Amino acid sequence: MDPSQVKIPALADLTIDNITDNVIRINSLNPDPRAKYILERLVEHLHDFARETRLSTTEWMAGIQFLTKTGQICTDVRQEFILLSDIFGLSLLVDSIDHPKPPNSTEGTVLGPFHTHEAEHMSNGDLMSKDDNGEPLLVLCNVKGVDGKPISGVKIDIWETDSSGHYDVQHADRDGPDGRCVMTSDDEGVFWFKAIVPVPYPIPHDGPVGQLLKKLGRHPMRPAHMHFMFEKSGFDHLITALYLKNDPYENSDAVFGVKNSLIVELGKVDKKTAEKYGVDEGIALMTYDFVLVTEKASFDLRAENSKKALEKLGRRVKIVEGLPVPDVD
Amino acid sequence: MDPSQVKIPALADLTIDNITDNVIRINSLNPDPRAKYILERLVEHLHDFARETRLSTTEWMAGIQFLTKTGQICTDVRQEFILLSDIFGLSLLVDSIDHPKPPNSTEGTVLGPFHTHEAEHMSNGDLMSKDDNGEPLLVLCNVKGVDGKPISGVKIDIWETDSSGHYDVQHADRDGPDGRCVMTSDDEGVFWFKAIVPVPYPIPHDGPVGQLLKKLGRHPMRPAHMHFMFEKSGFDHLITALYLKNDPYENSDAVFGVKNSLIVELGKVDKKTAEKYGVDEGIALMTYDFVLVTEKASFDLRAENSKKALEKLGRRVKIVEGLPVPDVD
């Protein structure tokens, strides 16, 4: 860029008090109003954080090194920054903001770092886990709208750990996907499959995030759960999970994912059900009715919530493509 | 950790409004009051940032991917997170907080990512740059206290780019340090050496930080400068740099490092000086008197500034080991 074209005030002699305005001003050369707003809030919070803590150079360097290690442990199958976001409650917060749920619809929760795009497609009744050590589980679910009508043709990603508490991608010697599948709801909105009873497990804690949890005196455990992700054109993408009632970590989930409406009590398969679904009588049974929101309802609710929340904070905004930007006229 | 030992309130059913308090509460299991305070401020600002922007999942994921790439481009000789901190003005802010300067002392500025620990020790009069294409420069400096008395035995790290605007470590085929040295001030507080005239150069902009600058419509240039770092027991560590007057990027430094008191006008070596220092008459001359602050004066000033600034923000703190922690009694 030709320096004579830089339309900013002189950036020399910056101090603790004037640097924030100056950084925001130079970042505002950017023509995208949404990006401009995000950068403005980011820089102000970053600087306020340093000012309010009176951050020392040593502490700053510890932060730089922590972030570097966090990036460097990431691989195709390990995402340490998502873990970091999870243990700070940011992931759940962002999901709550982005996917507001009207009453009587299924709540969302954290995606976690273990969803993959390689799961096989399964039909109703198929077995999702090859783990012989897992406790057999029959899962009977259906998908409907807030109007109570079944929704067919929904693509459903489902994933869980094996009985040792590890996802397939955590095994270096794995020979393909396991404990995960993609299903499609049938004409009655039903999908059902065989799996294993989920177990509590630690998030990967041999890296920077695990070390941080240890320093904070926090455990890395997640209560037993099974992940579900629902996708159908016209409906808001639902990322959620079902949690087993009475899990020892139900109230201290390392990633803040548990919601009361997502806690299920396992039943036992009775004789009639066993015959109908071709499974052994007495095995564990999980049932759930998932309720999806239309894309439009979710879009409108998100926009309405954003306007209200920001007005409450004294910020006047307009909604552009569903997201708030400052309303300057 | 035994889940029955977790002394926290139930973390289920967290919402946009109550998640921050709950994350802060579980992080407060940590017994270190300074770390507790830093984490509290970090989580609150992180969450407020998401709430104020109504951050979308797509934007959050873009952030996760940006941080991951930033970590993964780091090597032993490239620190992209320091660059990121630099272009957001955070590095200068932290230096200003951590190394407050009383009037008449030399101001600090950004360290940058190119200081190394492998520079050779040089004596007064040595040549620091092996670059034959550089414009010869004679540098005459001295170090004194705020009382005006010379300070001997100060260890001084000095580093600059070559005439192409690259530090030694940026050349893959380098065979040792160049453009950098360590000197010691003599009995009169003097240190002097031969170097080359600094040139403006871009910060490394082939990675995530460069892409961000481009998106923001910002250039990656730094005005011509030479780095200096001063270290002596009993004195506050001084990280600074001298900037050449009238550089085209003097007012738009990509990393916000320029301070008026650190801008120098190059002179020309006259006949007498040329004879005294054994250099050619007419080459460029840079002179500067660096003024160091004692460790105690800096410590006291930092503590005083911290208390004042935080009281102004309505926070009651006490200073522990030089850094503020909430004063709760």
Side-chain angles (χ1 to χ4, degrees), chain B residues 160-173:
Chain B
E160 66 166 340
T161 67
D162 61 20
S163 59
S164 78
H166 294 88
Y167 290 93
D168 54 0
V169 293
Q170 294 179 280
H171 293 288
D173 60 344

Side-chain angles (χ1 to χ4, degrees), chain A residues 1 34 37 52 59 88 217, chain B residues 1 34 37 47 52 59 217:
Chain A
M1 184 187 293
R34 175 69 184 163
Y37 181 55
E52 287 171 17
E59 291 165 339
F88 278 159
Chain B
M1 184 188 293
R34 174 71 184 161
Y37 181 55
H47 287 196
E52 287 171 17
E59 291 164 342

Side-chain angles (χ1 to χ4, degrees), chain B residues 199-274:
Chain B
V199 294
Y201 65 85
I203 59 171
H205 56 115
D206 57 341
V209 170
Q211 284 158 17
L212 178 62
L213 284 176
K214 205 172 169 186
K215 255 190 204 162
L216 293 176
R218 287 172 53 179
H219 69 68
M221 299 301 293
R222 297 216 63 201
H225 61 278
M226 187 181 284
H227 292 275
F228 294 84
M229 185 158 80
F230 296 82
E231 215 175 334
K232 182 177 178 167
S233 176
F235 290 90
D236 189 47
H237 200 136
L238 173 64
I239 296 166
T240 193
L242 296 179
Y243 295 87
L244 301 198
K245 195 169 175 175
N246 296 327
D247 185 282
Y249 303 98
E250 183 179 318
N251 290 323
S252 65
D253 182 2
V255 305
F256 308 101
V258 182
K259 292 189 175 170
N260 290 334
S261 68
L262 302 174
I263 296 177
V264 293
E265 189 162 15
L266 293 191
K268 269 200 193 321
V269 170
D270 62 18
K271 196 174 173 203
K272 203 179 134 197
T273 308

Side-chain angles (χ1 to χ4, degrees), chain A residues 150-169:
Chain A
I151 309 175
S152 63
V154 180
K155 181 189 168 201
I156 307 138
D157 272 77
I158 307 159
W159 64 107
E160 65 168 340
T161 67
D162 61 20
S163 59
S164 78
H166 294 88
Y167 290 95
D168 54 0
V169 292

Side-chain angles (χ1 to χ4, degrees), chain A residues 142-154 185-190 232 235 290 292:
Chain A
N142 64 65
V143 198
K144 51 187 186 178
V146 285
D147 55 6
K149 286 184 189 154
I151 309 175
S152 63
V154 180
S185 62
D186 69 15
D187 291 346
E188 276 76 49
V190 167
K232 181 176 177 167
F235 290 89
F290 292 95
L292 302 192

